[in-house]
Amino acid sequence: MEELSLLFYAFSSQKERSIFGGSCFLELQYCRLPKNTSIDIIVSVHSISPWQDDSLYVHGVDQNLFFKEYRYIFDCGVYNNLQTGTVDPWGINYYGPNKIDGIIAKLNEVKPTDYQTLEEWISTAKIHNGFYILGV
């Protein structure tokens, strides 16, 4: 387990993550679907494979801090029902590549806890089809 900062974690395996904290995590995961994939498929439960080794994780005990400091930064996610809004802690939240620069700008303006770690990770999402925040 690599503690990247005070808020975000990365794990080299599912076993390592499970030993550290079970399944009580928010997962920030890259969307690996092709860029021309329709939004209804992107946010489908069947399109997501949780617990990726290159994801960032927020442990359950840190989720109040995450939501307090990041909910207005992540106010443009697309949910499984195709509605948009702030982070749904229980569901799928998708942020397309066209949202990344705006999110990074908000991170640098607000400077929430450990924003540099998240900014670096999100910048990599540009080579993918954006990213997800997957609820508990």
Side-chain angles (χ1 to χ4, degrees):
M1 187 258 327
E2 177 183 357
E3 183 176 350
L4 298 172
S5 59
L6 299 174
L7 191 58
F8 300 103
Y9 296 87
F11 301 98
S12 61
S13 69
Q14 288 187 39
K15 180 179 180 183
E16 186 178 64
R17 179 201 40 80
S18 181
I19 290 169
F20 177 80
S23 62
C24 188
F25 291 95
L26 290 176
E27 179 180 3
L28 288 80
Q29 180 186 112
Y30 298 124
C31 176
R32 291 183 169 82
L33 296 171
K35 292 193 178 188
N36 61 350
T37 304
S38 68
I39 190 68
D40 58 322
I41 292 174
I42 289 172
V43 297
S44 168
V45 172
H46 304 292
S47 295
I48 297 170
S49 297
W51 312 119
Q52 298 298 310
D53 292 341
D54 61 352
S55 292
L56 283 184
Y57 295 91
V58 178
H59 193 270
V61 298
D62 300 319
Q63 289 175 16
N64 284 341
L65 175 63
F66 178 83
F67 288 118
K68 178 182 174 191
E69 295 194 23
Y70 284 91
R71 68 186 234 197
Y72 295 111
I73 291 169
F74 294 113
D75 62 354
C76 56
V78 178
Y79 307 140
N80 179 258
N81 67 2
L82 302 179
Q83 300 296 311
T84 61
T86 59
V87 178
D88 173 3
W90 308 109
I92 296 169
N93 305 270
Y94 169 71
Y95 303 86
N98 62 331
K99 301 292 184 186
I100 292 172
D101 288 337
I103 290 170
I104 290 172
K106 288 181 189 179
L107 287 172
N108 285 301
E109 179 183 327
V110 177
K111 297 183 181 356
T113 302
D114 302 325
Y115 76 97
Q116 299 99 331
T117 300
L118 187 56
E119 178 185 2
E120 183 178 323
W121 185 89
I122 287 176
S123 293
T124 304
K126 289 180 180 181
I127 64 171
H128 298 287
N129 190 8
F131 65 98
Y132 300 102
I133 298 178
L134 303 175
V136 179

Coordinates of all heavy atoms in Angstrom, one line a residue, residues 10-60:
A10 N -3.1 4.4 -2.9 CA -3.0 3.5 -4.1 C -2.5 2.2 -3.6 O -1.8 2.1 -2.6 CB -2.0 4.1 -5.1
F11 N -3.0 1.1 -4.3 CA -2.7 -0.3 -3.9 C -2.2 -1.0 -5.1 O -2.6 -0.8 -6.2 CB -3.9 -1.0 -3.3 CG -4.5 -0.2 -2.1 CD1 -5.6 0.6 -2.2 CD2 -4.0 -0.4 -0.8 CE1 -6.1 1.3 -1.1 CE2 -4.5 0.2 0.3 CZ -5.6 1.1 0.1
S12 N -1.2 -1.9 -4.8 CA -0.7 -2.7 -5.9 C -1.5 -4.0 -6.2 O -1.2 -4.7 -7.2 CB 0.8 -3.1 -5.6 OG 0.8 -3.9 -4.4
S13 N -2.5 -4.3 -5.3 CA -3.3 -5.5 -5.5 C -4.6 -5.3 -4.7 O -4.7 -4.6 -3.8 CB -2.6 -6.7 -5.1 OG -2.4 -6.8 -3.7
Q14 N -5.6 -6.1 -5.1 CA -6.8 -6.1 -4.4 C -6.6 -6.7 -3.0 O -7.3 -6.3 -2.0 CB -7.9 -7.0 -5.1 CG -8.4 -6.3 -6.4 CD -9.5 -7.1 -7.0 OE1 -10.4 -7.6 -6.3 NE2 -9.5 -7.1 -8.3
K15 N -5.7 -7.7 -2.9 CA -5.5 -8.2 -1.6 C -4.9 -7.2 -0.6 O -5.3 -7.1 0.5 CB -4.5 -9.4 -1.7 CG -4.1 -10.1 -0.4 CD -3.2 -11.2 -0.6 CE -2.9 -11.9 0.7 NZ -1.9 -12.9 0.6
E16 N -4.0 -6.4 -1.1 CA -3.4 -5.3 -0.3 C -4.5 -4.3 0.2 O -4.5 -3.9 1.3 CB -2.3 -4.6 -1.1 CG -1.5 -3.6 -0.3 CD -0.5 -2.9 -1.2 OE1 -0.8 -2.3 -2.2 OE2 0.7 -3.1 -0.8
R17 N -5.4 -3.9 -0.8 CA -6.5 -3.0 -0.4 C -7.4 -3.7 0.6 O -7.8 -3.0 1.6 CB -7.2 -2.6 -1.7 CG -8.4 -1.7 -1.4 CD -9.5 -1.7 -2.4 NE -9.8 -3.0 -3.0 CZ -10.6 -3.9 -2.5 NH1 -11.1 -3.7 -1.3 NH2 -10.9 -5.0 -3.1
S18 N -7.7 -4.9 0.4 CA -8.6 -5.6 1.3 C -8.1 -5.7 2.7 O -8.8 -5.5 3.7 CB -8.9 -7.0 0.7 OG -9.8 -7.7 1.6
I19 N -6.8 -6.0 2.8 CA -6.1 -6.1 4.1 C -6.1 -4.7 4.8 O -6.4 -4.6 6.0 CB -4.7 -6.6 4.0 CG1 -4.8 -8.1 3.6 CG2 -3.9 -6.4 5.3 CD1 -3.4 -8.7 3.2
F20 N -5.9 -3.7 4.0 CA -5.9 -2.3 4.6 C -7.2 -1.8 5.1 O -7.3 -1.3 6.2 CB -5.3 -1.3 3.6 CG -5.3 0.1 4.1 CD1 -4.3 0.5 4.9 CD2 -6.3 1.0 3.7 CE1 -4.3 1.8 5.4 CE2 -6.3 2.3 4.2 CZ -5.3 2.7 5.1
G21 N -8.2 -2.1 4.3 CA -9.5 -1.5 4.7 C -10.7 -2.1 4.1 O -11.8 -1.4 4.0
G22 N -10.7 -3.3 3.8 CA -11.9 -4.0 3.2 C -12.4 -3.3 1.9 O -11.6 -3.1 1.0
S23 N -13.6 -3.0 1.9 CA -14.2 -2.4 0.7 C -14.8 -1.0 0.9 O -15.6 -0.5 0.1 CB -15.3 -3.4 0.1 OG -16.4 -3.5 1.1
C24 N -14.5 -0.4 2.0 CA -15.0 0.9 2.4 C -14.2 2.0 1.8 O -13.4 2.7 2.5 CB -15.1 1.0 3.9 SG -16.0 2.5 4.4
F25 N -14.3 2.1 0.5 CA -13.5 3.1 -0.2 C -14.3 3.8 -1.3 O -15.2 3.1 -1.9 CB -12.3 2.5 -1.0 CG -11.2 2.0 -0.1 CD1 -11.2 0.6 0.3 CD2 -10.2 2.8 0.4 CE1 -10.2 0.1 1.1 CE2 -9.2 2.3 1.2 CZ -9.2 1.0 1.5
L26 N -14.1 5.1 -1.6 CA -14.4 5.7 -2.8 C -13.3 5.3 -3.8 O -12.1 5.4 -3.4 CB -14.5 7.2 -2.7 CG -15.7 7.8 -2.0 CD1 -15.5 9.3 -1.9 CD2 -17.0 7.4 -2.6
E27 N -13.6 5.0 -5.0 CA -12.5 4.7 -6.0 C -12.6 5.7 -7.1 O -13.6 6.0 -7.7 CB -12.7 3.3 -6.6 CG -11.7 3.0 -7.6 CD -11.8 1.6 -8.2 OE1 -12.8 0.9 -7.8 OE2 -11.0 1.2 -9.0
L28 N -11.5 6.4 -7.4 CA -11.3 7.2 -8.5 C -10.6 6.4 -9.6 O -9.5 6.0 -9.4 CB -10.5 8.5 -8.2 CG -11.2 9.5 -7.3 CD1 -11.2 9.1 -5.9 CD2 -10.6 10.9 -7.5
Q29 N -11.3 6.1 -10.7 CA -10.9 5.1 -11.7 C -10.9 5.7 -13.1 O -11.9 6.5 -13.4 CB -11.8 3.9 -11.6 CG -11.5 2.8 -12.6 CD -12.5 1.7 -12.6 OE1 -13.2 1.6 -13.6 NE2 -12.6 1.0 -11.5
Y30 N -9.9 5.4 -13.9 CA -9.9 5.9 -15.3 C -11.0 5.2 -16.1 O -11.2 4.0 -15.9 CB -8.5 5.6 -15.9 CG -7.4 6.4 -15.3 CD1 -6.3 5.7 -14.8 CD2 -7.4 7.7 -15.1 CE1 -5.2 6.3 -14.2 CE2 -6.4 8.4 -14.6 CZ -5.3 7.7 -14.1 OH -4.2 8.4 -13.5
C31 N -11.6 5.9 -17.0 CA -12.5 5.3 -17.9 C -11.7 4.8 -19.1 O -11.1 5.6 -19.8 CB -13.6 6.3 -18.3 SG -14.7 5.6 -19.6
R32 N -11.7 3.5 -19.4 CA -10.9 3.0 -20.5 C -11.8 2.7 -21.7 O -11.3 2.1 -22.6 CB -10.2 1.7 -20.0 CG -9.1 2.1 -19.0 CD -8.3 0.9 -18.5 NE -7.2 1.3 -17.8 CZ -7.1 1.6 -16.5 NH1 -8.2 1.6 -15.8 NH2 -6.0 1.9 -15.9
L33 N -13.0 3.1 -21.7 CA -13.8 2.8 -22.9 C -13.4 3.8 -24.0 O -12.9 4.9 -23.7 CB -15.3 3.1 -22.5 CG -15.9 2.1 -21.5 CD1 -17.3 2.6 -21.1 CD2 -15.9 0.7 -22.1
P34 N -13.6 3.4 -25.2 CA -13.2 4.3 -26.4 C -13.9 5.6 -26.3 O -15.1 5.7 -25.8 CB -13.7 3.5 -27.6 CG -13.8 2.1 -27.2 CD -14.2 2.1 -25.7
K35 N -13.3 6.6 -26.8 CA -13.8 8.0 -26.6 C -15.1 8.2 -27.4 O -15.9 9.1 -27.1 CB -12.8 9.0 -27.1 CG -11.6 9.0 -26.1 CD -10.7 10.2 -26.3 CE -9.6 10.1 -25.2 NZ -8.8 11.2 -25.1
N36 N -15.5 7.4 -28.3 CA -16.8 7.6 -29.0 C -17.9 6.7 -28.4 O -19.0 6.6 -29.0 CB -16.6 7.2 -30.5 CG -16.1 5.7 -30.7 OD1 -15.8 5.1 -29.8 ND2 -16.1 5.3 -32.0
T37 N -17.7 6.2 -27.2 CA -18.7 5.4 -26.6 C -19.8 6.3 -26.1 O -19.6 7.4 -25.6 CB -18.1 4.6 -25.4 OG1 -17.0 3.8 -25.8 CG2 -19.1 3.7 -24.7
S38 N -21.0 5.8 -26.2 CA -22.2 6.6 -25.8 C -22.2 6.7 -24.3 O -21.8 5.8 -23.6 CB -23.5 6.1 -26.3 OG -23.8 4.8 -25.7
I39 N -22.7 7.8 -23.8 CA -22.7 8.1 -22.4 C -23.6 7.1 -21.6 O -23.2 6.7 -20.5 CB -23.2 9.6 -22.1 CG1 -23.0 9.9 -20.6 CG2 -24.7 9.7 -22.5 CD1 -21.6 10.1 -20.2
D40 N -24.6 6.6 -22.1 CA -25.4 5.6 -21.4 C -24.6 4.3 -21.2 O -24.8 3.6 -20.2 CB -26.8 5.3 -22.1 CG -26.6 4.8 -23.5 OD1 -25.8 5.3 -24.3 OD2 -27.4 4.0 -23.9
I41 N -23.7 4.0 -22.1 CA -22.9 2.8 -21.9 C -21.8 3.1 -20.9 O -21.4 2.3 -20.0 CB -22.3 2.3 -23.3 CG1 -23.5 1.7 -24.1 CG2 -21.2 1.3 -23.0 CD1 -23.1 1.3 -25.5
I42 N -21.2 4.3 -21.0 CA -20.1 4.7 -20.1 C -20.6 4.6 -18.6 O -19.8 4.2 -17.8 CB -19.6 6.2 -20.4 CG1 -18.8 6.1 -21.8 CG2 -18.8 6.7 -19.3 CD1 -18.5 7.5 -22.3
V43 N -21.8 5.1 -18.3 CA -22.2 5.1 -16.9 C -23.0 3.8 -16.5 O -23.6 3.7 -15.5 CB -23.1 6.3 -16.6 CG1 -22.2 7.6 -16.8 CG2 -24.3 6.4 -17.5
S44 N -23.0 2.8 -17.4 CA -23.6 1.6 -17.1 C -22.8 0.8 -16.1 O -21.6 0.7 -16.2 CB -23.8 0.7 -18.4 OG -24.2 -0.6 -18.1
V45 N -23.5 0.2 -15.1 CA -22.9 -0.7 -14.1 C -22.1 -1.8 -14.8 O -21.0 -2.1 -14.3 CB -23.9 -1.3 -13.2 CG1 -23.3 -2.3 -12.3 CG2 -24.6 -0.2 -12.4
H46 N -22.5 -2.3 -15.9 CA -21.9 -3.4 -16.6 C -20.6 -2.9 -17.3 O -19.8 -3.8 -17.7 CB -22.8 -4.0 -17.7 CG -24.1 -4.5 -17.0 ND1 -24.1 -5.5 -16.2 CD2 -25.3 -4.0 -17.1 CE1 -25.4 -5.7 -15.7 NE2 -26.1 -4.8 -16.3
S47 N -20.3 -1.6 -17.5 CA -19.1 -1.1 -18.1 C -18.0 -0.9 -17.2 O -16.8 -0.6 -17.6 CB -19.4 0.2 -18.8 OG -20.3 0.0 -19.8
I48 N -18.2 -1.1 -15.9 CA -17.2 -0.8 -14.9 C -16.7 -2.0 -14.2 O -17.4 -2.9 -13.8 CB -17.8 0.2 -13.8 CG1 -18.2 1.5 -14.6 CG2 -16.8 0.5 -12.7 CD1 -19.0 2.5 -13.7
S49 N -15.4 -2.1 -14.1 CA -14.7 -3.1 -13.3 C -14.0 -2.5 -12.1 O -12.9 -1.9 -12.3 CB -13.7 -3.9 -14.2 OG -14.3 -4.5 -15.3
P50 N -14.6 -2.6 -11.0 CA -14.0 -1.9 -9.8 C -12.7 -2.5 -9.4 O -12.3 -3.6 -9.8 CB -15.1 -2.1 -8.7 CG -15.9 -3.2 -9.1 CD -15.8 -3.3 -10.6
W51 N -12.0 -1.7 -8.5 CA -10.8 -2.1 -7.8 C -9.6 -2.3 -8.8 O -8.9 -3.2 -8.7 CB -11.0 -3.4 -7.0 CG -12.2 -3.4 -6.2 CD1 -13.3 -4.3 -6.3 CD2 -12.5 -2.5 -5.1 NE1 -14.2 -4.0 -5.3 CE2 -13.8 -2.9 -4.6 CE3 -11.9 -1.4 -4.5 CZ2 -14.4 -2.2 -3.6 CZ3 -12.5 -0.7 -3.5 CH2 -13.8 -1.1 -3.0
Q52 N -9.4 -1.3 -9.6 CA -8.2 -1.2 -10.5 C -7.0 -0.8 -9.7 O -7.0 0.0 -8.8 CB -8.5 -0.3 -11.6 CG -9.7 -0.7 -12.5 CD -9.5 -2.0 -13.2 OE1 -8.4 -2.3 -13.8 NE2 -10.5 -2.9 -13.0
D53 N -5.8 -1.4 -10.1 CA -4.6 -1.1 -9.4 C -4.0 0.3 -9.6 O -3.2 0.8 -8.8 CB -3.5 -2.2 -9.7 CG -3.9 -3.5 -9.2 OD1 -4.7 -3.6 -8.2 OD2 -3.3 -4.5 -9.7
D54 N -4.5 1.0 -10.7 CA -4.0 2.3 -10.9 C -5.0 3.4 -10.5 O -4.9 4.6 -10.8 CB -3.6 2.5 -12.4 CG -4.7 2.3 -13.3 OD1 -5.8 1.9 -12.9 OD2 -4.5 2.6 -14.5
S55 N -6.0 3.0 -9.7 CA -7.0 3.9 -9.2 C -6.5 4.6 -7.9 O -5.5 4.1 -7.3 CB -8.3 3.1 -8.8 OG -9.0 2.6 -9.9
L56 N -7.1 5.7 -7.6 CA -6.9 6.3 -6.3 C -8.0 5.9 -5.4 O -9.2 5.8 -5.9 CB -6.8 7.8 -6.4 CG -5.6 8.5 -7.0 CD1 -5.7 10.0 -6.9 CD2 -4.3 8.0 -6.2
Y57 N -7.8 5.8 -4.1 CA -8.8 5.4 -3.2 C -8.9 6.4 -2.0 O -7.9 6.9 -1.6 CB -8.5 4.0 -2.6 CG -8.6 3.0 -3.7 CD1 -7.5 2.6 -4.4 CD2 -9.8 2.3 -4.0 CE1 -7.5 1.6 -5.4 CE2 -9.9 1.4 -5.0 CZ -8.7 1.0 -5.7 OH -8.8 0.1 -6.6
V58 N -10.1 6.7 -1.6 CA -10.3 7.5 -0.4 C -11.0 6.5 0.6 O -12.1 6.0 0.4 CB -11.2 8.7 -0.6 CG1 -11.5 9.5 0.7 CG2 -10.6 9.6 -1.7
H59 N -10.3 6.3 1.8 CA -10.9 5.4 2.8 C -12.1 5.9 3.4 O -12.3 7.2 3.5 CB -9.8 5.1 3.8 CG -10.2 3.9 4.7 ND1 -10.9 4.1 5.9 CD2 -9.9 2.6 4.6 CE1 -11.1 2.9 6.4 NE2 -10.5 2.0 5.6
G60 N -13.0 5.1 3.9 CA -14.2 5.4 4.5 C -14.1 6.5 5.6 O -14.9 7.4 5.7

